[in-house]
Amino acid sequence: MTDTTLQTPAERGLLPLPAAVARPLIAVGAVGTIASAFMSWTWTPDFPGNLTIYGYPAGLQILALVAGALTLLHLLAQWRVKGLGWLNPSGATSPVLLTALSAFAVCWFTGIAIAVDLGGLVNLDPGAYVAMVASLLPVLGALALPHPAPGTGLKGYLGKPEQPRPGTLSPLAERAAVTVGTALGLIVFTYGIGINDDDSETFIGFLLVCVFAAWGLVHSGLLDRYTTMSTRHKGFAACLAFAAAVIFPFTQSNDHNANIGVNILIFATVALGLNIVVGLTGLLDLGYVAFLGVGAYAAALVSGSEYSPFQVHFPFWAAALTGMAASLVFGVLIGGPTLRLRGDYLAIVTLGFGEIFRITVNNLDGDSGPNITRGPNGITQIPDIQLFGFNLGDSHTFGSFTLGRFANYLFLMLIITAIVVLVFTRAADSRIGRSWIAIREDETAATAMGINGFRVKLVAFALGASLAGLAGTVMAHVNYSVNPQPYQFAGAAPPNSAFLLAAVVLGGMGTVSGPLLGASLLYLIPEKLQFMQNYELLAFGVALILLMRFRPEGIIANRRRKLEFHETGQLDVPAQTTLSEDAAVTKAGA
């Protein structure tokens, strides 16, 4: 056993324990956490998940088991066990601590939730106490491992450690790694979306494990390596992601989960359109949800609803083109006179446009104005879409699988989302896309270089509006109706402009996957945590404050914006050189 007094500062952790003791302590705690998942945590099935059965983990016990297994894996990787070096090639301490915190968080949260929900600690069975004690041991042991940044205290564990340059793999091995990563992502998403809406405790535990486990993967460098491989095989990774989304409905026995998936894709598609305006062009649009409403109302008026004043029934492709064209026209009409403004002035004008749209459709009820939108009642009884002889409102059987109405619409939205992603990526990589980025970085300099700033911004505004209109046409058919209530800046439930803007900022401006992830999180979390629905705006505000403080570039960062928001030390050497040259000139002059 090594005496802590003989350890160098770089070898000491926050706790005065030698590594020869810390690592076994972590291992014992991780194994104990795994074992506790097979014990009873409470005597009554009243707590969500039925944690009363010995030998059969369920609910939060499964999450504790996964967190304990991840802690053990990261420990063995940090311990340089043969075959696991790829998980933590630098041997960093922080991934072990973060995964240990995932087990600690879910076990202690469960114990406290049982005591609070059921009325006291007497409702905890021995398994809960074992889980709480066992999950604490890896945290203590990780704090005794070599400190990643000596002298910085707990703050030093938050900084991402430097990773060695990864070795190269064969193209086949990289594709296999991307396939495994996609499969794991599908499993995690399927498990999370499958948690019952009234089981908020299990979903909170799921979020805790995901946050700390993902944080640990970032610190170990594994997520960066996976991103690099996915970028190197971009087409293959995109096809895998699309295939995983197609497989998702076949994993669900409840069509309600497919409905959640449809809404996520609708809002993610609209967020991608907003990402063109905000992320690529740098225009702050606070009334973007109005374009979604324009597309939805335009499709509702021509899709055969008996409450539409225009008794016409266009096929879906014509209704979709009508919605896109209407949003495009409104985008040009609003953008034409306003896009010469900048910054806060543009934001105020777009906010006003959003409110004008909502008030207008609310007043076109036959009393305050012509009877076109039926005012607050909206346009209802919009028929389901029919494509190639298939009615998307009917259930369809494929072998032993039965796909309901929302699963059918999910497949339709997957195709539309793929089209929107293709349009976004092609536009961003084109000449006009580089002009958007130049306008975002410095409009004055871009104009001086010959870029027509007004025309470029108008194209971005119109393209983003038309993509939102396309998503609106599907949303009108999915919901069977449209009404003015959702189309406001901030509301009790999405869609609203605040939700869409938060999805873009949270996920990562200027990226494709960022708005997809942001829309998924911001829709799924309130859906599963019913008690938060009355505090949705408060939750948005807190999340954005934390994000701006710790990761202003978003969860999935655009490389350019990441360099803007974080000091990389690239200017240190030139600055020191300049000072040295100034000192030399001064000395020579003296």
Side-chain angles (χ1 to χ4, degrees):
M1 183 179 298
T2 306
D3 188 359
T4 57
T5 59
L6 300 178
Q7 291 178 311
T8 64
E11 293 174 336
R12 298 194 194 110
L14 288 181
L15 298 182
L17 289 175
V21 175
R23 291 192 178 98
L25 187 67
I26 298 172
V28 170
V31 172
T33 303
I34 296 172
S36 69
F38 296 88
M39 303 173 65
S40 172
W41 286 18
T42 182
W43 61 274
T44 172
D46 292 340
F47 188 80
N50 193 7
L51 312 182
T52 63
I53 303 174
Y54 279 88
Y56 187 80
L60 288 159
Q61 293 172 325
I62 295 177
L63 297 172
L65 189 153
V66 171
L70 288 175
T71 303
L72 189 59
L73 281 174
H74 276 278
L75 169 67
L76 296 177
Q78 200 270 344
W79 213 339
R80 302 293 187 181
V81 173
K82 187 176 180 180
L84 293 176
W86 56 271
L87 187 59
N88 189 1
S90 67
T93 301
S94 53
V96 182
L97 175 62
L98 291 170
T99 49
L101 285 173
S102 69
F104 174 81
V106 70
C107 291
W108 281 75
F109 166 75
T110 305
I112 294 171
I114 291 174
V116 172
D117 291 355
L118 302 181
L121 296 174
V122 68
N123 295 286
L124 270 67
D125 271 2
Y129 291 106
V130 172
M132 295 171 73
V133 173
S135 64
L136 178 61
L137 299 181
V139 176
L140 299 177
L143 291 175
L145 291 176
H147 198 291
T152 58
L154 284 173
K155 186 179 179 181
Y157 290 95
L158 302 179
K160 184 179 176 181
E162 294 184 4
Q163 298 292 334
R165 187 179 181 85
T168 58
L169 298 175
S170 65
L172 182 61
E174 289 187 343
R175 288 189 174 91
V178 173
T179 303
V180 172
T182 305
L184 290 176
L186 176 61
I187 292 172
V188 171
F189 180 77
T190 301
Y191 182 85
I193 204 172
I195 297 174
N196 294 330
D197 294 350
D198 56 352
D199 190 358
S200 57
E201 290 86 355
T202 302
F203 192 76
I204 292 175
F206 171 75
L207 290 179
L208 291 173
V209 172
C210 287
V211 168
F212 283 107
W215 200 353
L217 291 177
V218 170
H219 277 228
S220 67
L222 191 62
L223 202 59
D224 288 342
R225 279 174 281 156
Y226 177 79
T227 303
T228 301
M229 288 186 290
S230 299
T231 304
R232 194 176 292 132
H233 306 280
K234 186 181 297 184
F236 179 76
C239 291
L240 278 180
F242 186 81
V246 171
I247 293 172
F248 167 73
F250 294 96
T251 65
Q252 303 298 310
S253 58
N254 187 354
D255 203 37
H256 172 67
N257 294 335
N259 183 24
I260 295 176
V262 171
N263 286 304
I264 287 175
L265 287 177
I266 289 174
F267 301 140
T269 301
V270 182
L272 274 173
L274 180 60
N275 200 20
I276 294 176
V277 178
V278 176
L280 294 181
T281 318
L283 305 175
L284 183 55
D285 189 346
L286 299 182
Y288 185 77
V289 73
F291 297 121
L292 175 69
V294 170
Y297 268 96
L301 290 171
V302 299
S303 292
S305 170
E306 63 178 88
Y307 292 100
S308 169
F310 312 111
Q311 295 301 315
V312 294
H313 191 173
F314 288 3
F316 172 69
W317 64 266
L321 290 177
T322 301
M324 292 181 65
S327 296
L328 176 65
V329 170
F330 271 88
V332 173
L333 291 178
I334 299 302
T338 61
L339 286 178
R340 300 186 188 278
L341 302 173
R342 299 187 187 182
D344 299 339
Y345 301 101
L346 177 62
I348 293 172
V349 170
T350 55
L351 177 62
F353 163 65
E355 289 302 303
I356 290 172
F357 167 78
R358 183 179 61 84
I359 294 171
T360 300
V361 296
N362 200 46
N363 289 331
L364 297 179
D365 56 356
D367 295 329
S368 303
N371 187 12
I372 298 178
T373 64
R374 299 184 69 231
N377 295 323
I379 301 173
T380 57
Q381 296 187 16
I382 301 172
D384 282 305
I385 296 173
Q386 293 191 11
L387 286 175
F388 307 110
F390 287 94
N391 188 330
L392 299 189
D394 298 335
S395 298
H396 297 90
T397 301
F398 296 90
S400 59
F401 298 98
T402 300
L403 300 179
R405 174 177 183 268
F406 294 118
N408 298 331
Y409 277 102
L410 179 62
F411 290 132
L412 175 62
M413 274 309 304
L414 280 175
I415 297 174
I416 292 177
T417 303
I419 294 173
V420 172
V421 168
L422 181 63
V423 170
F424 181 91
T425 53
R426 298 293 293 176
D429 294 336
S430 67
R431 179 180 177 182
I432 190 70
R434 293 192 293 272
S435 299
W436 289 337
I437 295 174
I439 290 291
R440 183 192 71 194
E441 297 300 321
D442 192 330
E443 184 174 352
T444 303
T447 304
M449 295 299 295
I451 296 176
N452 189 328
F454 172 75
R455 186 178 64 185
V456 167
K457 291 190 291 185
L458 187 61
V459 170
F461 215 70
L463 180 59
S466 61
L467 294 180
L470 176 60
T473 61
V474 180
M475 189 178 73
H477 289 87
V478 170
N479 295 335
Y480 287 131
S481 64
V482 291
N483 64 81
Q485 192 274 334
Y487 306 108
Q488 50 189 320
F489 173 71
N496 54 67
S497 292
F499 172 92
L500 297 172
L501 186 61
V504 174
V505 176
L506 175 67
M509 292 188 290
T511 64
V512 174
S513 51
L516 298 176
L517 177 61
S520 301
L521 292 176
L522 291 180
Y523 187 86
L524 189 60
I525 291 175
E527 179 72 20
K528 295 299 181 180
L529 302 181
Q530 297 291 332
F531 68 91
M532 285 187 61
Q533 290 189 350
N534 294 330
Y535 307 97
E536 188 172 346
L537 292 179
L538 175 63
F540 278 177
V542 172
L544 289 177
I545 289 172
L546 294 176
L547 188 72
M548 292 301 101
R549 171 60 184 86
F550 295 105
R551 196 172 176 85
E553 70 274 17
I555 298 176
I556 301 176
N558 177 276
R559 183 177 300 177
R560 185 193 303 270
R561 299 189 67 83
K562 187 174 182 179
L563 293 175
E564 291 175 359
F565 283 114
H566 295 280
E567 297 180 1
T568 60
Q570 294 179 6
L571 300 179
D572 291 348
V573 174
Q576 292 174 359
T577 303
T578 302
L579 290 175
S580 300
E581 291 175 352
D582 290 344
V585 171
T586 302
K587 184 177 179 180

